[in-house]
Amino acid sequence: MGIVAGLDSSPAFTRIVVCDTDTGSVLRQGYAAHPLEGAEDGRRPSDVDPQAWLLSLGEAAGGGLLEGVQAIGVSAQQNALVPLDAQGNTVRPALVGGDKRAQVAAADLVDALGGRAAWAQAVGCVPQAAQPVTKLRWLAKSEPDNARRTGALLQAHDWLVWQLLGRPARRTTDRGGASGTGYWSAATGSYRPDLVELALGHQVVLPDVIGPSDAAGTTPEGLLISAGTGETMAAAFGLGIGLGDAVVSLGASGSVMAVHREALTDGSGIITSLADATGMHLPVVTTLNAVRALRGTAELLGLPDLESLSDLAMKSTPGSHGLVLLPYLEGERTPNLPHTAGTLAGLRRESMKAEHLARAAFEGMLCGLADALDVLRGRGVDVRRIFLLGQAAELPAVQAAAPALFGTQVVVPQPADYAAIGAARQAAWALGVSQGALDPRTPPVWQGAAAQVLEPGDELAVGQAVRQQYVSVREQTHPGAFRP
């Protein structure tokens, strides 16, 4: 079929991969940082001119990178809201990231609709500070003139697709991106314009939601542009996960997501019901504390980095000599304990050694994520294989404990630009469908990610005992807080 490109516009940079349409082999790559004002000190600004995304896209595509490419897929940071006026011009810079300015607005919206359960029923998620619907409420309260001028809404990948197509009259998005807005329901496959009005104060034009294998259009130069999607959905598609697979991401906070046939409505709001990039669903459960618990422990022990913490933890044994860390250092979402603190239990003379605390930090982080997995399993989500992502996934202490604590096979993929690869795979799908070579319901089969496969093996019973030790401390400290 030829070659296709996938571009991923993250909060900090644009990454482009050019792939063979048949195998997914990466043939060429490009990269450029976004020229963001105020980012020199390492902090990401909350307001970003979308033109910065286009500038880095152009730089990343330089040197003939896209020569011979027949189709392009776009992945981009989620929750970046681009408000447009009636003429299609940006009303103000895009509102991006986990914008703490919108925390009060999130609480306002929850109350305005009648509570967390009402939101979960309406759109499969409860407003958080980062979500577009919450940013609309913030805009209405903090910048009423800009709110009144807003006549249309796009997210980052929608805006980039629209720009690549030459700003046509029709604007599009996909199920994955739409499902994270807070005003589109993955369960019903439709917008809730009333929630936009609740947040912003009036109705606006929303992009058409097109199918996973549909093309958004063709550029003036004849390049096919696929639907595009959010980074989370693109990365899952690039990894090639399917039914029976879950992805555990180890960032400062943690997340667990899995492919499922149907949307999950959760009245507590612990599950966020997203759509994936294939027509399936992607329920997500997050924890507030993952690698931040490791970094805090390393600092407490005077260690320079996580590698040193891992080396120290490997000198201990499973169960950390009875030491248990509930790693709720920033409060917690799973279980819902927003105002709590962490707990260190099981202190005895023999357990008060640095290596046991180091091991307890790793076990506590992984047990917290295992709780998140149990939320999904408790709702009928089949998990037979777990993809473990993030830099901490490479640490020996994580790899030694994860399979037994999660109770299943763990796959650690080699680092790669999976969101960009997923965008390229979507482009290949749309191209194949347009040529009559691929089924619109079945994406192209690409070679899987190179990965290390870890099995629980004989350690499964040990892992279950460690997990039970953690659960006992959690229940004694916060009785009834966790209900999978």
Side-chain angles (χ1 to χ4, degrees):
M1 285 165 56
I3 58 174
V4 293
L7 73 87
D8 175 39
S9 181
S10 83
F13 56 79
T14 298
R15 183 92 63 183
I16 301 177
V17 297
V18 176
C19 299
D20 179 275
T21 55
D22 295 322
T23 65
S25 296
V26 176
L27 307 175
R28 303 192 290 267
Q29 300 183 64
Y31 168 89
H34 295 324
L36 300 180
E37 293 182 10
E40 295 81 5
D41 59 1
R43 292 183 297 111
R44 301 257 69 84
S46 297
D47 295 334
V48 173
D49 183 349
Q51 293 296 327
W53 307 333
L54 277 185
L55 289 170
S56 68
L57 192 165
E59 184 180 344
L65 183 77
L66 299 180
E67 187 175 340
V69 164
Q70 297 167 276
I72 296 177
V74 178
S75 156
Q77 59 180 304
Q78 288 159 240
N79 299 322
L81 182 69
V82 185
L84 304 177
D85 63 19
Q87 289 73 44
N89 301 312
T90 52
V91 169
R92 68 175 318 282
L95 292 150
V96 302
D99 198 334
K100 291 187 177 180
R101 295 176 299 183
Q103 288 176 339
V104 173
D108 285 349
L109 280 177
V110 171
D111 291 341
L113 195 65
R116 297 170 64 87
W119 277 97
Q121 186 66 40
V123 287
C125 60
V126 177
Q128 304 292 329
Q131 281 183 296
V133 71
T134 304
K135 289 169 178 169
L136 290 178
R137 170 56 70 103
W138 178 87
L139 193 65
K141 296 291 187 182
S142 303
E143 299 179 1
D145 289 343
N146 285 336
R148 280 191 290 271
R149 290 175 53 216
T150 298
L153 301 174
L154 294 176
Q155 292 189 87
H157 85 265
D158 311 334
W159 189 85
L160 286 166
V161 165
W162 186 53
Q163 296 295 322
L164 290 173
L165 291 173
R167 296 166 59 104
R170 185 195 189 206
R171 304 184 188 104
T172 62
T173 189
D174 85 307
R175 296 170 65 254
S179 66
T181 60
Y183 45 81
W184 186 89
S185 167
T188 64
S190 58
Y191 281 117
R192 287 289 303 266
D194 58 312
L195 299 183
V196 175
E197 186 168 1
L198 178 70
L200 187 62
H202 63 266
Q203 297 286 344
V204 297
V205 177
L206 300 171
D208 293 343
V209 181
I210 61 177
S213 62
D214 291 345
T218 304
T219 70
E221 299 77 27
L223 266 176
L224 183 114
I225 308 294
S226 64
T229 195
E231 271 189 320
T232 297
M233 300 79 190
F237 198 39
L239 281 167
I241 71 167
L243 290 170
D245 292 333
V247 176
V248 174
S249 295
L250 302 177
S253 55
S255 69
V256 178
M257 63 181 178
V259 178
H260 197 49
R261 293 190 184 279
E262 57 192 35
L264 296 179
T265 301
D266 171 50
S268 71
I270 285 181
I271 298 175
T272 297
S273 186
L274 300 178
D276 80 346
T278 72
M280 301 281 255
H281 294 270
L282 204 61
V284 181
V285 179
T286 60
T287 67
L288 293 181
N289 301 278
V291 175
R292 63 165 42 100
L294 301 184
R295 294 199 185 284
T297 307
E299 290 168 7
L300 179 66
L301 293 173
L303 299 173
D305 49 41
L306 296 185
E307 288 75 16
S308 301
L309 185 70
S310 174
D311 291 344
L312 184 61
M314 293 299 286
K315 296 177 181 178
S316 182
T317 54
S320 310
H321 275 243
L323 210 56
V324 175
L325 176 65
L326 301 183
Y328 305 157
L329 308 186
E330 297 281 334
E332 190 48 80
R333 281 189 65 184
T334 309
N336 185 28
L337 296 165
H339 306 300
T340 194
T343 300
L344 185 63
L347 286 168
R348 295 184 178 85
R349 180 67 188 87
E350 62 271 18
S351 67
M352 295 179 69
K353 293 183 179 179
E355 60 264 33
H356 302 324
L357 177 56
R359 177 94 188 194
F362 283 97
E363 291 178 344
M365 175 188 74
L366 293 169
C367 284
L369 288 160
D371 279 351
L373 267 170
D374 281 352
V375 172
L376 295 179
R377 284 170 164 153
R379 293 296 304 277
V381 177
D382 184 25
V383 178
R384 297 189 300 273
R385 182 173 63 162
I386 291 172
F387 286 77
L388 198 58
L389 302 184
Q391 287 186 328
E394 303 286 334
L395 296 173
V398 170
Q399 295 190 5
L405 291 177
F406 292 152
T408 193
Q409 183 186 85
V410 170
V411 178
V412 184
Q414 288 185 3
D417 303 315
Y418 291 111
I421 291 169
R425 189 179 177 206
Q426 187 193 67
W429 193 7
L431 179 64
V433 169
S434 74
Q435 296 173 338
L438 290 177
D439 187 322
R441 296 162 299 180
T442 308
V445 178
W446 280 10
Q447 58 197 17
Q452 185 178 4
V453 178
L454 309 170
E455 301 282 357
D458 296 338
E459 296 295 310
L460 186 58
V462 175
Q464 289 173 336
V466 173
R467 183 84 198 287
Q468 186 53 53
Q469 177 179 270
Y470 176 91
V471 169
S472 295
V473 172
R474 188 196 66 217
E475 282 302 302
Q476 289 168 9
T477 310
H478 305 286
F482 181 70
R483 295 184 180 90

